[in-house]
């Protein structure tokens, strides 16, 4: 479930060509379970109609202090009540003109009046042409607005309406939603904690066109990375080959292929991390002598000599500091609990997450998972089948308990 579920969001839309993206932003917010009240400036109506945004938000759009009533009587759109109603206000796109007004307290329309009355967090997502965005007056206004406690959603680099390429492009709606989700998911205990996560399979080369791998999709590791990022942690994700999109724009992803590459990338980051979650499905064996040329089909029987890969969890477990928390995964098909406890001890984990392939809907490829977690004192926590995002939230809670004891 999104952290936006049930939240009341004021969305300010201003006069920018990027206003067309507000339609998608509203759709994503509503899909996340948020209530959205749209406020438009008069200039915004030149770029997108109030009817479009009202239809998507399922609420009337306000742009004036009064609206015509059904009997011709005026209805006051109380800017103070609107400001008090909201859990969060986001202005996207925020034009150079609107940023200048808000930075200096000008109040000549409903949007600026609501902004000045807001006691909730306010997010600003600028959108304008490259030279406007770089102009000293705009940069000064942005600094001034941030000094008031407003949160800035940085403009992105890309092609602009003028044909120029550079900064000034409105952040993509998915990125804005991720920022808002991260705001509501923040936990002080995770703020700026360095978290290292591995995810996905590894691929061990046989020749230039073939490899040995497994069925891991990376979904579980990516869900865990998203949960930590939204909780305020600084996340590094070392990922084997996966089609999963980057789960949060704030996450730093390092892409690898083989078990050796995963070890090298993880080992290089290990000492910086306070929390390490080893969710990747790493190959236990790799071909001893990969061929440089494609192997031709000749013999009816083909033997492949294999050698053990480095045990990443065991190696890092020997280097683990007392202030570090490490979490491992065990995917088992038999003697599940005994095997998981043995792995917990041997690899110096604080927590181990047990999956059984015998549980329907759990394991590789599914959007759901069913886990049992064992801590270093061998206490057992059993969870029902649920989405991998909710599994990640459960794991986050257990890590938080461990962190409070360090």
């Amino acid at each position: 479930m999104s952290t936006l579920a049930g939240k009341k969001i004021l969305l300010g839309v201003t006069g920018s060509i990027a206003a067309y993206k507000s339609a998608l932003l509203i759709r994503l917010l509503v899909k996340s379970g948020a209530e959205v009240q749209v406020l438009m400036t008069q200039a915004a109506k030149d770029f997108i109609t109030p009817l479009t945004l009202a239809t998507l938000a399922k609420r009337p759009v306000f742009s004036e202090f009064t609206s015509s009533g059904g009997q011709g009587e005026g209805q006051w759109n109380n800017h103070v009540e609107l400001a008090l109603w909201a859990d969060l206000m986001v202005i996207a796109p925020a034009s150079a003109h609107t940023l200048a007004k808000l930075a200096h307290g000008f109040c000549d329309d409903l949007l600026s009046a609501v902004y000045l009355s807001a006691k909730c967090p306010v997010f600003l997502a600028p959108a304008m042409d490259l030279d406007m965005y770089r102009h000293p007056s705009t940069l000064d206004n942005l600094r001034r607005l941030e000094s008031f406690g407003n949160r800035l959603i940085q403009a992105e680099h890309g092609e602009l309406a003028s044909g120029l390429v550079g900064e000034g492009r409105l952040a993509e709606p998915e990125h804005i939603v991720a920022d808002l989700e991260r705001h509501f998911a923040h936990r002080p205990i995770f703020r700026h904690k360095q978290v290292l996560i591995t995810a996905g399979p590894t691929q061990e080369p046989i020749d230039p066109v073939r490899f040995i791998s497994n069925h891991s999709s990376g979904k579980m590791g990516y869900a865990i990375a998203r949960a930590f990022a939204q909780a305020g942690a600084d996340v590094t994700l070392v990922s084997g080959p996966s089609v999963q999109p980057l789960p949060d724009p704030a996450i730093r992803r390092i892409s690898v292929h083989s078990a050796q590459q995963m070890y090298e990338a993880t080992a290089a980051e290990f000492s910086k991390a306070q929390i390490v979650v080893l969710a990747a499905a790493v190959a236990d064996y790799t071909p001893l002598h990969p061929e440089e040329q494609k192997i031709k089909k000749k013999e009816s029987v083909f033997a492949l000599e294999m050698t053990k890969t480095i045990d990443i969890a065991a190696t890092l477990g020997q280097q683990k500091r007392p202030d570090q928390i490490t979490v491992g995964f065990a995917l088992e098909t038999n003697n599940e609990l005994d095997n998981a406890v043995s792995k917990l001890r041997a690899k110096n984990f604080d927590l181990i997450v047990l999956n059984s392939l015998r549980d329907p809907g759990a394991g590789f490829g599914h959007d759901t998972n069913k886990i049992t977690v064992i801590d270093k004192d061998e206490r057992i926590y059993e969870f029902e089948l649920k989405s991998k995002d909710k599994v990640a939230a459960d794991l986050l809670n257990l890590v938080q308990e461990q962190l409070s004891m360090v």
Side-chain angles (χ1 to χ4, degrees), residues 201-269:
T202 60
Q203 295 177 349
E204 308 305 314
I206 297 172
D207 63 22
V209 298
R210 300 181 180 93
F211 56 82
I212 296 170
S213 190
N214 56 59
H215 296 295
S216 174
S217 64
K219 289 180 180 179
M220 190 68 254
Y222 276 58
I224 294 168
R226 177 167 48 249
F228 273 107
Q230 290 182 351
D234 295 330
V235 179
T236 297
L237 175 63
V238 179
S239 176
S242 174
V243 298
Q244 302 302 310
L246 187 67
D248 188 286
I251 292 171
R252 171 175 166 245
R253 178 167 53 187
I254 301 172
S255 297
V256 298
H257 284 84
S258 68
Q260 181 62 29
Q261 289 173 348
M262 182 163 284
Y263 164 69
E264 291 171 0
T266 306
E269 300 293 329

Side-chain angles (χ1 to χ4, degrees), residues 336-355:
E336 290 98 333
L337 195 57
D338 288 343
N339 288 335
V341 170
S342 295
K343 191 172 183 179
L344 173 75
R345 295 170 181 164
K347 303 191 180 183
N348 198 19
F349 289 135
D350 294 282
L351 297 169
I352 192 160
V353 182
L354 170 62
N355 294 131

Side-chain angles (χ1 to χ4, degrees), residues 68-73:
S68 297
Q71 305 300 320
E73 298 176 355

Side-chain angles (χ1 to χ4, degrees), residues 249-316:
I251 292 171
R252 171 175 166 245
R253 178 167 53 187
I254 301 172
S255 297
V256 298
H257 284 84
S258 68
Q260 181 62 29
Q261 289 173 348
M262 182 163 284
Y263 164 69
E264 291 171 0
T266 306
E269 300 293 329
F270 183 73
S271 64
K272 308 171 195 173
Q274 286 94 39
I275 301 164
V276 180
V277 182
L278 301 177
V282 184
D284 293 322
Y285 292 89
T286 188
L288 184 59
H289 300 294
E291 296 293 334
E292 294 184 2
Q293 303 297 327
K294 180 183 175 183
I295 300 170
K296 298 297 183 182
K297 182 167 64 176
K298 295 178 182 177
E299 296 83 0
S300 58
V301 176
F302 174 70
L304 188 62
E305 190 175 6
M306 308 282 284
T307 185
K308 271 189 177 182
T309 59
I310 188 167
D311 189 325
I312 297 175
T315 304
L316 297 182

